[in-house]
Amino acid sequence: MAKRVRVRAPELIGRGGWLNTGDKQYTLAELRGRIVVLDFWTFCCINCLHVLDELRELEERHRDTVVIVGVHSPKFVHEAEHEAVVDAVERYGVEHPVLDDPELATWKQYAVRAWPTLVVIDPEGYVVAQHAGEGHAHAIARLVEELEAEHEAKGTLRRGDGPYVAPEPEPTDLRFPGKALLLPSGNFLVSDTTRHQLVELAEDAETVVRRIGSGTRGFADGPADTAAFNEPQGLALLDDGSVVVADTVNHALRRLDPATGAVSTLAGTGRQWWRGSPTAGPAREIDLSSPWDVAVFGGKVWIAMAGVHQLWTYDPETGTVAVAAGTTNEGLVDGPAAEAWFAQPSGLAATADRLWLADSETSALRWVDPDGQVHTAVGTGLFDFGHRDGAAGQALLQHPLGVTALPDGSVAVSDTYNHALRRYDPVTGEVTTLATDLREPSGAVLAGDQIVVVESARHRLTRLRLPEEAVRVESVAHRTRRAATEVAPGRLRLDVVFQAPAGQKLDTRYGPSTRLLVSSTPPELLLEGEGADTDLSRELDLNPAVTEGVLHVSAMAASCDDDEAGGTSRSQTGGGYPACHVHQQDWGVPVRITEGGVDRLPLILAGMDQRP
C-alpha cells in the first residue's frame, strides 16, 4: 500500500455547538479510533444537499467505524442563525452529528475554499484526503475500507456505536412544506417536503383532507397510500387537471391524478444528471438533477433544474425533455438562453409574456421572454445580498425561493432568508416589502384577494391580504461571510489539485478526462486566462486596476476503476467496461488584489496539495 500524506487534523471549533448528539459537545480526541469524515456544508447549497444524499449509503454501511460530522459553514447571514441550522438538519434528514460553525472557524483551520468539501481523518487523528464538490462517495468508501484494514491490523481502530442521537419528532400536520398549489376545487395541495408526501388541505388552508404518498423516502408509483416521493417541491396544474410534481431528490417529475390519488412518473430515471449525460430525449430515459419548481409557459412545463443551474422543459405532447436555458455554469449572466448563467433557480411563475424565476444563490429575480432572452430585474451576483427596497438596480434580496405573479402585472417574491414577502413592479422598476415576520417563506399562491404563503419553517400556510401600502423596512446590505483571498497583482498560478483515487486512473477513452473553465466578475479582473481548456493548471494575469472581484472556476475530472474485469458506469450501461466516475466542482473565489498577496491559488478537487 502506498504511503499516504498525513497532516495532523486541527480541532473542531464552532460557537453554535453540536447538534444530533443529545447535547453532548465533542472534541476530535473523543472521536479518536474512528474514521471521521468532515462534510463542510451550508444548507442553501444544492451541491451540499447532493453530497448529503451521496453519503447516506456510506453512513449506513460503515456505521460502527465511520463518524460523519457535518461542519455547517454559512454563506448567507440567515444561515449563521443557530435555529436555522437546527431546522435545516431536520429538514434534510441529516442523521449524523453537526457542528454549527457560524464564524467559519473550522473552515479556516482546514483551509476550505468551497461548499461542499469532504475531509477524511484517520483513526489516529491525521487528515489523509480532501475532496471538493460532488461525486466522491465511491472514492471515500474505498479509502474507508483501506483505513479499516490498516488500523484494524495496527490496533488503532475502535468499533461501536457512534455519537449520533436522533432528535424527537414534532407532531405538526406539515413539516417544512415547500410549495403550494390552488386546486380547481378551492382546496390547496402542498408539498410536505420533509415527510416525503403531498398533502391536500381544505379551503381554510389548515384542515387536512388527505395525504398522498407513504411518508417514507422512496421512488415508487401507484395509489396514494403506497406511492413514494423523496423531498418533493414544486407543483403545477396541467390542462387535463393532473398535477406535475418536482420530486427533487428523486431527480424526477411525477404526475398526480387528483381524482384518484394515483401517482406515476413523467420524466427522469431516479439518477442524478452528470456532465456528459444526454440533455434531451424521451423523458423517462433522461437523467435530471434536483428539479425544484415547475410552471406551464408556452405550452410546455418549465423546470427549475436547481442541481445544474439551468431551466429545462418537459413537453406533454411528445413526452420529451430538453435544456431550455443555461450553460450549467453558476452565476448571473443575461442574454440568449443558451449563453445565460443561473445559480440554483428555485421558483417559477408564468404570465402571458414572461417566465419569472427566483434565482436563489444570486439572490435575484429574473425572467425569460418569449424569444428566449434572459433578463435580470433584481440582483447583482453570488456574493451580494440583503434587504433593501427602492429602485431595482440597487435593491437587495436574500436567497429567494419563490415567485408569484400578481393580478396587476407585478410579482411577489418569497424572500426566504429575509423572512419577507417582497414585490417588484416592472412598470416603475421599484421593489417594496409587502410583509415581514414570516419564517422562511418558500412559495405563495393567490386565492381570491388574498395571498397564501408557505411558511416553511413554521410548518404552515399563512393567509395575507395583499396590502395597499408597503411595509417600511430598515435597509441592510451584506456580503458573503467568507473572507476574500489576498492575491498579488499580475501573474497568478491556478492549480486545481486532482489525484485519481486509489485503484482508479484517468478515463481517456473518449478524449481528455479533465476540463477547466475560468471566468471572473467583473470580467475586467482577468487580463489573461479566461476560457475553457483540458489542463487543470493555468497562468492567470490579474488586472492591477481592479482591486477586488470573484474568480469563477469550474473543474471536472473523469476516472475509471483500474480493473479490466469491468463494471457499470454512470454513462456506460453495457458490460465489459470498468466503473467510471465523474468528479466536479464550481468555485466562486472572492479575491482582493494586494501587494504581498499570494501568487498561487490551489483548489483541491480530490487529493492533497503537496506543493508548498
Side-chain angles (χ1 to χ4, degrees):
M1 185 181 299
K3 185 174 178 62
R4 289 192 194 88
V5 176
R6 299 204 309 169
V7 178
R8 176 63 72 179
E11 188 52 83
L12 304 179
I13 306 166
R15 183 170 55 80
W18 290 75
L19 306 175
N20 280 357
T21 60
D23 295 327
K24 179 173 172 55
Q25 307 297 299
Y26 280 88
T27 64
L28 203 52
E30 291 173 288
L31 301 176
R32 197 66 49 80
R34 311 297 291 273
I35 300 162
V36 177
V37 179
L38 303 182
D39 175 15
F40 289 87
W41 71 298
T42 187
F43 63 79
C44 72
C45 164
I46 192 66
N47 310 92
C48 298
L49 303 186
H50 289 166
V51 167
L52 283 176
D53 290 307
E54 287 180 8
L55 293 175
R56 293 187 197 278
E57 183 179 351
L58 175 76
E59 197 166 28
E60 182 60 36
R61 183 175 295 180
H62 299 276
R63 194 169 289 279
D64 66 333
T65 59
V66 172
V67 175
I68 296 176
V69 175
V71 182
H72 189 268
S73 312
K75 171 187 174 182
F76 290 97
V77 169
H78 171 59
E79 293 175 309
E81 298 175 14
H82 181 70
E83 193 56 42
V85 181
V86 172
D87 285 347
V89 167
E90 181 188 351
R91 181 194 301 267
Y92 297 115
V94 180
E95 296 184 353
H96 51 249
V98 172
L99 176 65
D100 180 13
D101 182 18
E103 296 168 341
L104 302 180
T106 297
W107 167 288
K108 294 171 186 173
Q109 288 288 327
Y110 282 81
V112 174
R113 293 185 183 273
W115 297 278
T117 291
L118 298 169
V119 175
V120 182
I121 302 172
D122 72 13
E124 294 179 296
Y126 288 89
V127 174
V128 294
Q130 184 169 330
H131 304 265
E134 304 176 48
H136 302 293
H138 64 283
I140 292 176
R142 181 160 184 158
L143 176 58
V144 162
E145 291 170 359
E146 292 180 3
L147 291 172
E148 285 175 340
E150 177 185 338
H151 288 274
E152 189 91 79
K154 291 173 67 174
T156 50
L157 183 69
R158 177 166 57 91
R159 295 180 180 271
D161 293 335
Y164 171 67
V165 177
E168 288 293 323
E170 296 287 340
T172 54
D173 286 334
L174 303 175
R175 204 70 193 161
F176 298 105
K179 307 288 185 182
L181 176 69
L182 182 64
L183 296 172
S185 65
N187 288 354
F188 295 91
L189 187 67
V190 184
S191 53
D192 197 16
T193 304
T194 298
R195 294 208 176 115
H196 315 295
Q197 291 180 316
L198 307 180
V199 178
E200 184 176 347
L201 300 178
E203 292 185 44
D204 62 6
E206 296 180 6
T207 304
V208 174
V209 175
R210 61 173 170 168
R211 295 181 179 275
I212 299 157
S214 65
T216 301
R217 187 188 297 270
F219 190 8
D221 291 339
D225 57 344
T226 60
F229 299 95
N230 197 343
E231 298 183 23
Q233 287 282 348
L235 307 165
L237 193 65
L238 292 180
D239 290 341
D240 64 3
S242 65
V243 175
V244 180
V245 182
D247 195 5
T248 304
V249 180
N250 276 330
H251 311 294
L253 296 188
R254 314 293 292 281
R255 176 185 183 275
L256 169 68
D257 182 343
T260 66
V263 176
S264 56
T265 299
L266 292 175
T269 62
R271 297 185 301 270
Q272 182 184 340
W273 185 93
W274 289 90
R275 192 178 297 276
S277 300
T279 56
R284 292 293 304 273
E285 300 174 15
I286 304 297
D287 298 341
L288 309 182
S289 183
S290 296
W292 206 275
D293 202 6
V294 282
V296 178
F297 180 63
K300 295 181 180 180
V301 177
W302 285 65
I303 309 164
M305 203 71 78
V308 285
H309 316 298
Q310 290 181 310
L311 302 179
W312 288 38
T313 56
Y314 166 74
D315 188 336
E317 293 294 323
T318 62
T320 57
V321 294
V323 173
T327 64
T328 76
N329 296 315
E330 184 179 14
L332 194 155
V333 176
D334 290 338
E339 300 172 13
W341 290 24
F342 300 97
Q344 214 168 299
S346 301
L348 298 175
T351 63
D353 60 352
R354 292 188 183 187
L355 178 73
W356 294 97
L357 66 121
D359 205 26
S360 63
E361 280 294 286
T362 53
S363 297
L365 172 66
R366 307 176 73 184
W367 86 87
V368 182
D369 66 27
D371 296 326
Q373 293 287 316
V374 178
H375 311 262
T376 296
V378 182
T380 59
L382 286 165
F383 298 104
D384 294 291
F385 50 90
H387 192 146
R388 182 193 288 153
D389 288 332
Q394 56 85 54
L396 293 172
L397 309 170
Q398 187 180 180
H399 197 81
L401 289 178
V403 59
T404 307
L406 300 179
D408 64 357
S410 65
V411 289
V413 180
S414 295
D415 193 6
T416 310
Y417 288 2
N418 279 329
H419 311 299
L421 191 67
R422 311 285 293 283
R423 177 179 178 267
Y424 168 70
D425 186 343
V427 175
T428 65
E430 292 288 310
V431 176
T432 54
T433 298
L434 296 176
T436 58
D437 194 31
L438 301 168
R439 187 67 184 171
E440 292 192 13
S442 55
V445 60
L446 285 175
D449 62 352
Q450 296 182 325
I451 189 165
V452 179
V453 180
V454 181
E455 274 200 275
S456 188
R458 284 201 177 111
H459 320 292
R460 70 187 188 191
L461 302 190
T462 298
R463 285 183 178 273
L464 300 173
R465 283 199 171 274
L466 286 171
E468 295 180 2
E469 295 185 5
V471 177
R472 295 184 63 85
V473 177
E474 189 74 25
S475 293
V476 291
H478 302 291
R479 294 214 80 203
T480 177
R481 302 175 66 84
R482 184 177 161 194
T485 299
E486 295 192 347
V487 297
R491 308 300 286 185
L492 176 68
R493 172 79 174 184
L494 171 65
D495 288 324
V496 173
V497 178
F498 178 76
Q499 294 148 9
Q504 295 181 28
K505 61 184 179 182
L506 289 175
D507 178 12
T508 57
R509 289 173 297 150
Y510 307 109
S513 59
T514 56
R515 179 178 182 270
L516 178 64
L517 176 67
V518 179
S519 62
S520 67
T521 303
E524 297 77 23
L525 175 64
L526 277 178
L527 295 176
E528 291 182 19
E530 68 175 347
D533 201 348
T534 58
D535 193 341
L536 291 182
S537 294
R538 191 177 302 180
E539 290 286 336
L540 309 181
D541 188 6
L542 302 181
N543 187 347
V546 180
T547 57
E548 61 180 349
V550 179
L551 290 175
H552 303 282
V553 181
S554 178
M556 183 276 291
S559 64
C560 283
D561 291 350
D562 192 4
D563 179 1
E564 298 302 320
T568 301
S569 163
R570 302 193 78 138
S571 58
Q572 295 284 341
T573 55
Y577 292 104
C580 297
H581 315 277
V582 177
H583 318 257
Q584 63 185 48
Q585 172 63 14
D586 294 334
W587 291 268
V589 183
V591 295
R592 183 178 299 112
I593 297 180
T594 309
E595 291 294 340
V598 299
D599 60 4
R600 175 176 178 261
L601 178 62
L603 300 175
I604 297 177
L605 180 59
M608 300 281 283
D609 182 21
Q610 299 182 37
R611 287 188 55 178

